[in-house]
Amino acid sequence: DAEGQVKIADFGIAKILGDPGTVPDDATLTRTGARLGTPHYMAPEQVEHPEQVDHRADIYSLGVVFYELLTGELPLGRFQAPSAKAALDARIDDIVLRALAKERELRQQSAEQVKAEVEGLGHATLNWKWPFKKAVYWVPAVLLGAAVVGVRGSFGVPEALLIVLLLTTGFAVREIRRHRPGLRQYIAAGTGVLSVAMSVAAVAWLILRLQEKSQRIALVNNLAQIGAILRMSAISTADGMVYPSSTNLLEIGSGAMDRRWLVDPVTGGQIQYFGAGWTNPRPPTILLASPPGPLGRHVYLADGSVQPMIEAQFRERLESDSMQRAIQVYHGAVGPFLTKTEAEQHLREGGTVILLETEKVRQCNVDVAAAFKSASKRDYRTASEILFRARLLCKPPGFEFVFAVPGPDGILSHGDTYLRTQSEHGGLLAAMIVFAAASGNSEALAWGQKGGALAWKDREELLLCTRALDGNSNQDTEEIRMRTADVLSLKVGEPIPKLMKVIHTSKSHPGATRTNLVDIAWPRLP
């Protein structure tokens, strides 16, 4: 009509309704039981059994109309599917051919079903057969698949994006060709160029992946070679196997290290050694690691295996290793009195001071480790105030202070692991005096030097503390000493002179003992 709406004026007659004898002969176009309709549009049952006709005969007639609309021909004899005679979506064939089924049970069973199937054609779905009909489409796909499966061995985001791009581009071209026939020649040319570009990109990507795989194999071999030398260079001690403490890999193994092994073939960076001084590391402990690359790192573990790791996993594992090392060493210091679980709890809570007396343990309410944490950030005033408030500095003889200290970065699980000092040695009191002088805390300095003059009047030198280094158990330690007169002569506002004597000893390397003079030795600074 004028509104553009389709109205069916004549769809034929499927069946005369009404009981026999109730409809006058002159009011009908035929007698009861006679066939009526246009032959080519009639369902088979209208001819064979007109008395058994139902609404599914209309579905057959609709199928004939569909076929004629799509192909311009009637479905006579052995006819082809509509998509074989015109450029159509192959999904249309199923709808039309089902409607034209001779057995009405095989047709759609209602007009609603036909409607739903026709409207379903409006939802774009990928025709999986189409992209593989021509080599210009399946060649890039095959190359890309070979690169993914044969080289990488896994499916990641870059591979997924390339495959999605290939398939969606092919589907878009297909849709344009269907709806804009006039553009076919341009689309064909563009598709060819795109296919060539995709093929070149896939081949280049495959070559890069093969090269990267070769580099990864070389990196794994390098790590395995260095790891074997490390294991042979480990020293057997009473506490177990201790790995070489030098971080310079060329100094390990008596020159047996090949310089080429130390270079990461993927990034060109140097392989790093993280296991210096470890005593009996756990199997998952990281001993060696390659520099970070696009795909993460490769690491050599204490169990002798080489594994890949993404950067986040590497950082998490490294932090865990460092804390485990701190727990191992801290428990070595307090193990006779606390279980490993209790020692770990003290360590994670900030290294709370514990007082060790003959087979007894007492916990102080003052976190002396916080003073040394402040000192690691060069906040000496806070450090001196914490120690000044503690009033634990002049305890009678017989007590020993053991507490965790942070490394130069302020992280408890890195750097130095613990300090220990006996009350009669005056280590904490001397530390407070040094921090007070460095920060200009005159009140704490005066109080400390007054107490020290009384406590140390018969002593020329003070053993400030014994310090465990880098989680090396008791294999590597330092003693920090000062002359009593030097401690008592410090003044507010004056630079701290190099008066602290640091004596480094090693059970693993007895000949490595050395002595240095430093200004402030708590904790070890960068």
Side-chain angles (χ1 to χ4, degrees):
D1 62 7
E3 300 294 332
Q5 297 178 337
V6 177
K7 295 191 176 183
I8 301 176
D10 181 6
F11 199 57
I13 298 175
K15 182 179 182 181
I16 301 296
L17 300 178
D19 296 332
T22 61
V23 181
D25 288 346
D26 58 358
T28 61
L29 298 176
T30 185
R31 287 189 169 88
T32 302
R35 289 175 296 185
L36 179 66
T38 307
H40 296 319
Y41 297 85
M42 293 172 63
E45 63 266 24
Q46 288 180 277
V47 178
E48 299 172 359
H49 306 287
E51 71 283 355
Q52 299 177 5
V53 173
D54 59 18
H55 67 282
R56 289 173 288 186
D58 286 337
I59 293 177
Y60 180 92
S61 300
L62 182 59
V64 178
V65 173
F66 278 168
Y67 192 92
E68 190 173 10
L69 284 170
L70 296 170
T71 67
E73 301 175 5
L74 289 170
L76 303 176
R78 298 181 61 182
F79 54 88
Q80 293 179 302
S83 63
K85 303 184 72 66
L88 300 171
D89 190 329
R91 294 176 297 164
I92 295 175
D93 295 344
D94 182 62
I95 299 175
V96 176
L97 296 179
R98 283 181 62 201
L100 292 174
K102 181 177 180 181
E103 295 80 7
R104 54 188 175 182
E105 291 78 12
L106 302 180
R107 301 172 200 156
Q108 295 88 346
Q109 298 300 296
S110 67
E112 284 295 330
Q113 186 178 352
V114 177
K115 177 184 177 183
E117 292 180 1
V118 172
E119 289 179 343
L121 295 175
H123 301 291
T125 59
L126 183 63
N127 181 3
W128 289 96
K129 297 180 180 179
W130 179 80
F132 304 100
K133 287 184 177 179
K134 296 183 179 179
V136 293
Y137 298 113
W138 60 257
V139 167
V142 170
L143 291 173
L144 194 59
V148 173
V149 178
V151 179
R152 186 176 175 85
S154 62
F155 193 81
V157 173
E159 293 81 4
L161 290 177
L162 284 173
I163 291 177
V164 168
L165 175 64
L166 177 67
L167 296 179
T168 54
T169 301
F171 178 71
V173 171
R174 166 185 176 273
E175 290 297 306
I176 294 173
R177 291 182 64 182
R178 282 183 52 200
H179 298 291
R180 301 292 296 276
L183 297 177
R184 286 187 179 180
Q185 57 181 350
Y186 301 105
I187 293 173
T191 302
V193 172
L194 178 64
S195 176
V196 172
M198 290 290 291
S199 298
V200 172
V203 171
W205 188 84
L206 177 60
I207 293 174
L208 289 175
R209 281 289 186 258
L210 289 171
Q211 182 180 8
E212 182 181 313
K213 183 177 182 180
S214 175
Q215 291 174 338
R216 288 202 304 269
I217 293 174
L219 172 59
V220 170
N221 291 335
N222 288 358
L223 289 171
Q225 296 281 2
I226 300 173
I229 293 177
L230 283 176
R231 295 169 77 90
M232 290 187 296
S233 303
I235 298 174
S236 179
T237 69
D239 294 326
M241 298 301 296
V242 180
Y243 278 82
S245 57
S246 173
T247 56
N248 185 356
L249 290 170
L250 281 176
E251 296 178 359
I252 298 172
S254 303
M257 201 81 68
D258 190 326
R259 288 180 180 271
R260 292 173 298 179
W261 298 344
L262 308 181
V263 179
D264 180 354
V266 179
T267 65
Q270 294 290 314
I271 291 174
Q272 298 169 278
Y273 179 32
F274 290 93
W278 252 116
T279 303
N280 295 328
R282 300 178 306 154
T285 299
I286 295 174
L287 299 183
L288 297 167
S290 67
L295 301 177
R297 301 174 183 252
H298 275 75
V299 298
Y300 179 87
L301 304 181
D303 62 3
S305 64
V306 179
Q307 297 181 10
M309 282 189 184
I310 60 174
E311 190 63 18
Q313 182 185 8
F314 170 77
R315 291 294 172 189
E316 182 179 350
R317 178 74 69 82
L318 202 62
E319 184 174 346
S320 173
D321 289 349
S322 184
M323 178 55 77
Q324 290 298 325
R325 178 184 300 201
I327 293 170
Q328 176 186 18
V329 178
Y330 194 61
H331 180 248
V334 299
F337 309 99
L338 294 179
T339 66
K340 189 171 185 179
T341 301
E342 291 171 329
E344 179 179 352
Q345 181 181 359
H346 282 290
L347 186 63
R348 292 186 183 276
E349 289 177 354
T352 301
V353 174
I354 53 177
L355 306 181
L356 306 181
E357 196 177 19
T358 308
E359 297 186 358
K360 294 181 181 179
V361 176
R362 290 169 52 192
Q363 180 176 340
C364 294
N365 295 324
V366 179
D367 188 357
V368 178
F372 290 88
K373 192 168 186 177
S374 299
S376 72
K377 301 176 181 177
R378 292 181 170 80
D379 181 6
Y380 299 118
R381 186 169 189 85
T382 300
S384 65
E385 288 176 351
I386 291 175
L387 296 178
F388 181 45
R389 290 195 305 267
R391 296 300 198 275
L392 300 169
L393 310 176
C394 295
K395 281 286 183 182
F399 287 87
E400 184 178 23
F401 300 86
V402 181
F403 50 93
V405 293
D409 53 4
I411 299 176
L412 181 66
S413 58
H414 295 176
D416 299 345
T417 304
Y418 70 86
L419 290 171
R420 65 192 307 159
T421 181
Q422 293 180 343
S423 57
E424 63 265 29
H425 292 170
L428 292 181
L429 180 59
M432 190 209 70
I433 294 173
V434 174
F435 293 154
S439 64
N441 189 341
S442 58
E443 180 184 6
L445 179 64
W447 182 89
Q449 289 181 333
K450 181 180 179 179
L454 294 174
W456 307 329
K457 57 184 178 181
D458 297 327
R459 305 184 59 183
E460 293 185 3
E461 188 177 59
L462 304 176
L463 172 60
L464 274 56
C465 69
T466 302
R467 177 170 61 184
L469 302 180
D470 294 332
N472 296 349
S473 185
N474 289 321
Q475 301 305 312
D476 288 88
T477 58
E478 285 180 350
E479 287 184 356
I480 302 177
R481 297 175 177 267
M482 284 188 74
R483 283 167 35 92
T484 305
D486 292 335
V487 177
L488 297 177
S489 63
L490 292 175
K491 292 182 173 55
V492 171
E494 294 184 0
I496 304 297
K498 292 185 176 181
L499 300 175
M500 293 185 186
K501 184 188 301 182
V502 180
I503 305 172
H504 175 231
T505 59
S506 172
K507 291 183 181 179
S508 305
H509 302 84
T513 300
R514 62 180 182 271
T515 302
N516 298 318
L517 286 176
V518 299
D519 50 2
I520 296 180
W522 298 293
R524 181 189 309 166
L525 299 176

